[in-house]
Amino acid sequence: DKSPYTFQELRTYYKGRYPDEQIQDLWDNRMVPVLPKLLEQGTPEQRADRDYVLKALKLRGPELRHAAVDLRKDKEVVLQAVKQDWISLDYVPEELLKDRDVIMAGLQQDWEAITYASKELLHEEEVVVAALSASIMALQSIPEEMWQGSSARSAMLDSLRRNPEPLRHCPKAIHADRQVMLEALRLRPKFLEFLAPELVADRDFILAAVKGNWEILEF
């Protein structure tokens, strides 16, 4: 019935219908833990208590939105939330979205953390490389001039090799990049459909692509 139960409540609910072993198995293997909403259901005093908030965020990061305003500006508090769940970035004040540590904590979980980064951080190589290492989809948010660094390109190509499919959703400018598209066509000949017109018309490029994967001829 999707209601939360303690083990004793579950046992009482099913007692007489199922043996204890089955109830124990249900508890161990089929029940989903429900994390307490310590801040949402907390008192104003608890929401303003730094130690209490830190403990609460360790369990459920997005509860940051219920913390006292001053604590939402506290870097350690914010980091605790983001490390638990990157989506906590939704509730981080703008000034801390300029902080490298905060964005990097999010990028350790999901490339989309880059979409929260300040303009300044989008021009930092360390941040760019971390985002591209997570997924080539990060190109959607990273300025084009930051694509060209050797570390950024290496991260980009590594991500492409791990999972080439997101390339179809990347900015069109990357579809004109010779190195990236040669690797993409080697991995997925069907990506010919995304190839920039200038590369389609480039005989040397097409020959190199065919050498990389002859199946491109089928497309």
Side-chain angles (χ1 to χ4, degrees):
D1 61 7
K2 297 186 179 180
S3 299
Y5 289 92
T6 64
F7 177 71
Q8 191 56 49
E9 289 170 338
L10 186 74
R11 194 165 178 234
T12 301
Y13 184 82
Y14 284 114
K15 193 169 181 63
R17 287 188 279 172
Y18 299 101
D20 287 346
E21 312 85 74
Q22 279 189 265
I23 297 173
Q24 186 68 54
D25 180 68
L26 174 63
W27 177 262
D28 292 340
N29 301 308
R30 300 185 62 186
M31 298 292 284
V32 178
V34 177
L35 296 175
K37 297 180 179 179
L38 297 177
L39 295 184
E40 182 178 350
Q41 298 169 353
T43 65
E45 292 75 19
Q46 288 172 326
R47 294 178 181 183
D49 184 317
R50 192 172 186 274
D51 289 339
Y52 184 87
V53 168
L54 284 168
K55 290 176 182 176
L57 296 178
K58 195 171 183 178
L59 294 174
R60 193 191 285 263
E63 279 217 289
L64 178 66
R65 67 188 182 276
H66 299 297
V69 173
D70 286 348
L71 289 180
R72 292 204 299 271
K73 298 177 182 177
D74 183 314
K75 179 176 174 178
E76 184 182 354
V77 170
V78 166
L79 276 173
Q80 181 77 284
V82 175
K83 286 177 180 178
Q84 197 284 320
D85 189 338
W86 72 274
I87 205 64
S88 303
L89 288 166
D90 273 342
Y91 311 108
V92 173
E94 187 175 351
E95 58 264 32
L96 281 173
L97 294 177
K98 299 176 183 178
D99 189 289
R100 182 188 302 105
D101 295 336
V102 171
I103 297 301
M104 292 290 279
L107 288 172
Q108 289 177 5
Q109 300 168 56
D110 197 291
W111 73 268
E112 287 192 71
I114 195 65
T115 63
Y116 294 85
S118 66
K119 184 177 179 180
E120 294 79 9
L121 287 180
L122 290 175
H123 286 81
E124 288 196 13
E125 185 179 44
E126 181 184 3
V127 174
V128 167
V129 170
L132 289 174
S133 294
S135 174
I136 197 170
M137 286 280 281
L139 288 171
Q140 293 179 350
S141 300
I142 296 170
E144 197 171 331
E145 64 265 26
M146 296 301 296
W147 299 359
Q148 304 308 321
S150 59
S151 296
R153 293 191 69 80
S154 178
M156 190 189 309
L157 290 168
D158 285 345
S159 287
L160 180 67
R161 291 173 189 126
R162 285 197 308 273
N163 183 15
E165 289 303 320
L167 184 66
R168 65 178 68 245
H169 305 297
C170 289
K172 289 185 177 180
I174 202 65
H175 298 157
D177 186 293
R178 296 177 70 88
Q179 185 184 20
V180 169
M181 292 311 295
L182 274 176
E183 186 64 13
L185 291 172
R186 183 184 70 79
L187 297 165
R188 295 285 193 279
K190 65 181 180 180
F191 281 178
L192 186 65
E193 65 179 296
F194 301 113
L195 197 61
E198 58 267 36
L199 292 183
V200 173
D202 187 324
R203 182 174 181 274
D204 290 339
F205 177 86
I206 295 300
L207 282 173
V210 172
K211 287 179 181 179
N213 190 336
W214 65 268
E215 292 179 356
I216 192 176
L217 295 172
E218 297 179 3
F219 297 88

